[in-house]
Amino acid sequence: MSGTSGMGEERYTVISADCHAGADLLDYRPYLESRHRDAFDAWAATYVNPYEDLLADTADRNWNSDRRVAELEQDGIVAEVVFPNTIPPFFPSASLMAPAPTREEFEQRWAGLRAHNRWLADFCAAAPGRRAGVFQILLNDVGEAVKEIQWAADAGLNGGLLLPGTPPGSGLAELYSATYDPIWAACAERGVPVNHHAGSASPPLGEEPAARAVFMVETTWFSHRALWHLVFGGAFRRHPELRLVLTEQGSGWIPGVLDMLDYYHGRLVAAASRADTAESKFGAGLADSMGKGPSEVWRDNCFVGASFMRPHEAQMRDRIGLDKIMWGSDYPHDEGTHPYSREGLRIAYAGLPKDEIAAMVGGNAARVYGFDLERLGEVAARVGPTVQELDEPLKETPAGATSPVFAPGGSVRVW
């Protein structure tokens, strides 16, 4: 469950299932195939980074390995699942859905993602056993995606695949399409988790105040769509070993959505057997193509990177699935819990049974992403939060805390 210090204190082994990293822009150059380097030089010379946090003096948290290890340890965290953050070569932004209308641009962006993945493999190797890197693909070329999955699995990127979204206007087949079956097959065969992170599936909405508000309302919903697309699309029937992780999109929504999906599944399957009803066509073939119902798929194949959990979400842990929940700090983002992760953990988990806390803060992530808990326990014995510490409710918000988990009313959002 936890490490033990020399003084006999039990400590939790905390693994953040939601962190972000990437190379400084020019440091991607050596990882590009040589034929793309001249084009990269020309592109980089005129590129203007749109993200303030990647221009600040804290930007090197994304690539400074020693700084990350030190800051995460100070925060009580001994290992991390590493999602991308910085801009890959040839992309106007971090979004994998940025428009790319020409074949040449698609080729360059594939080259950019390969460069990031190869940099990430080295970055993870710099802290052996303490990073599970999440690699990137594009969905426009399934064959190339499969090749990259095979490479990444061989390279030890245990964080798995980052699944792009298919928002309206993307021009891509929907995620339920059989077009992507070779991707699910490759992931299942190689034991590669499929991760779908919040913000990666929303369509561009512009910069007006209303657009930004609509984005906040809709972004989690667009992220949730991957669940029902893969469930109704039958991906888990055809590939029973496939695992889906939904990260940084909350967790309190899951029981209600599963109830809704079960309802529609039962209703449509039943309707399909009655040819004289208006609904029969909507359920035709669904039972055979899906196999198990939505709640069964969730039980057997799905997990949630719950990130900075709120107290009400922790109270729903049995309905969500105690073995499904993986806490994350979202380091180094402003909305993350750093450097107050211990306090964030207390907000969510104070007073809960310690074996359940141990599962949510590290045990589940170790199982999904292949971390060695015994090895990490040796580090946790030195830096992890103590059982006694997390059992004490937080009475005062730390000054300077920026995570939504500390915001007034931040514990009431359920989706």
Side-chain angles (χ1 to χ4, degrees), residues 379-395:
V379 184
R382 174 171 51 85
V383 305
T386 66
V387 169
Q388 182 179 2
E389 179 184 0
L390 293 199
D391 200 41
E392 183 178 348
L394 187 70
K395 296 182 176 64

Side-chain angles (χ1 to χ4, degrees), residues 182-266:
I183 293 177
W184 316 141
C187 289
E189 289 167 5
R190 299 300 299 270
V192 171
V194 174
N195 304 275
H196 197 58
H197 194 282
S200 65
S202 300
L205 294 171
E207 292 297 326
E208 296 181 34
R212 293 193 291 271
V214 168
F215 174 83
M216 287 300 295
V217 171
E218 294 182 347
T219 185
T220 50
W221 182 86
F222 275 108
S223 298
H224 301 344
R225 291 176 81 219
L227 174 62
W228 53 81
H229 275 237
L230 269 67
V231 167
F232 285 121
F236 300 102
R237 180 190 66 78
R238 296 187 299 277
H239 311 289
E241 302 304 315
L242 184 65
R243 292 174 294 161
L244 175 67
V245 183
L246 303 172
T247 296
E248 202 187 333
Q249 43 192 280
S251 59
W253 59 275
I254 291 168
V257 165
L258 290 177
D259 287 345
M260 177 192 70
L261 298 181
D262 283 340
Y263 164 75
Y264 278 109
H265 172 255

Side-chain angles (χ1 to χ4, degrees), residues 13-340:
T13 300
V14 181
I15 299 170
S16 173
D18 180 22
C19 287
H20 297 265
D24 198 2
L25 186 63
L26 297 181
D27 289 342
Y28 280 125
R29 189 180 191 277
Y31 292 94
L32 283 165
E33 298 169 79
S34 58
R35 62 192 175 94
H36 293 291
R37 290 177 185 170
D38 288 345
F40 172 76
D41 292 341
W43 172 80
T46 60
Y47 182 73
V48 178
N49 196 314
Y51 300 108
E52 291 183 8
D53 64 323
L54 297 179
L55 300 172
D57 59 2
T58 56
D60 78 322
R61 288 173 173 167
N62 285 283
W63 55 79
N64 185 328
S65 182
D66 292 341
R67 178 176 184 173
R68 283 181 78 97
V69 170
E71 291 192 353
L72 289 172
E73 286 190 357
Q74 289 166 6
D75 225 15
I77 297 168
V78 299
E80 56 175 331
V81 179
V82 186
F83 287 85
N85 197 42
T86 60
I87 312 300
F90 303 114
F91 279 75
S93 71
S95 172
L96 299 187
M97 291 314 306
T102 69
R103 183 66 204 183
E104 180 183 12
E105 286 173 304
F106 269 130
E107 184 180 350
Q108 288 180 336
R109 291 185 189 182
W110 263 111
L113 293 188
R114 290 191 187 96
H116 169 81
N117 295 340
R118 282 142 187 78
W119 172 87
L120 182 62
D122 283 349
F123 185 71
C124 291
R130 300 182 66 174
R131 292 179 182 142
V134 178
F135 63 91
Q136 301 184 77
I137 63 163
L138 291 172
L139 294 175
N140 67 296
D141 190 323
V142 170
E144 289 299 314
V146 169
K147 290 179 185 176
E148 195 64 7
I149 291 166
Q150 302 289 4
W151 175 88
D154 290 339
L157 288 174
N158 296 332
L161 167 73
L162 178 61
L163 178 64
T166 57
S170 69
L172 294 168
E174 297 284 5
L175 288 177
Y176 57 71
S177 171
T179 300
Y180 304 121
D181 221 46
I183 293 177
W184 316 141
C187 289
E189 289 167 5
R190 299 300 299 270
V192 171
V194 174
N195 304 275
H196 197 58
H197 194 282
S200 65
S202 300
L205 294 171
E207 292 297 326
E208 296 181 34
R212 293 193 291 271
V214 168
F215 174 83
M216 287 300 295
V217 171
E218 294 182 347
T219 185
T220 50
W221 182 86
F222 275 108
S223 298
H224 301 344
R225 291 176 81 219
L227 174 62
W228 53 81
H229 275 237
L230 269 67
V231 167
F232 285 121
F236 300 102
R237 180 190 66 78
R238 296 187 299 277
H239 311 289
E241 302 304 315
L242 184 65
R243 292 174 294 161
L244 175 67
V245 183
L246 303 172
T247 296
E248 202 187 333
Q249 43 192 280
S251 59
W253 59 275
I254 291 168
V257 165
L258 290 177
D259 287 345
M260 177 192 70
L261 298 181
D262 283 340
Y263 164 75
Y264 278 109
H265 172 255
R267 173 178 164 182
L268 294 175
V269 168
S273 66
R274 299 191 298 271
D276 58 335
T277 67
E279 281 194 344
S280 62
K281 63 182 179 181
F282 291 99
L286 188 63
D288 291 338
S289 66
M290 277 184 62
K292 296 178 294 188
S295 284
E296 294 176 281
V297 171
W298 178 264
R299 180 196 65 201
D300 295 340
N301 301 88
C302 302
F303 303 86
V304 58
S307 298
F308 26 81
M309 277 189 91
R310 282 82 165 175
H312 77 275
E313 293 173 303
Q315 294 304 316
M316 300 170 73
R317 62 195 182 280
D318 289 333
R319 294 183 64 199
I320 297 167
L322 180 64
D323 60 335
K324 305 296 181 184
I325 297 168
M326 302 180 289
W327 178 87
S329 70
D330 201 27
Y331 176 95
H333 288 168
D334 288 343
E335 64 268 29
T337 53
H338 175 82
Y340 304 109

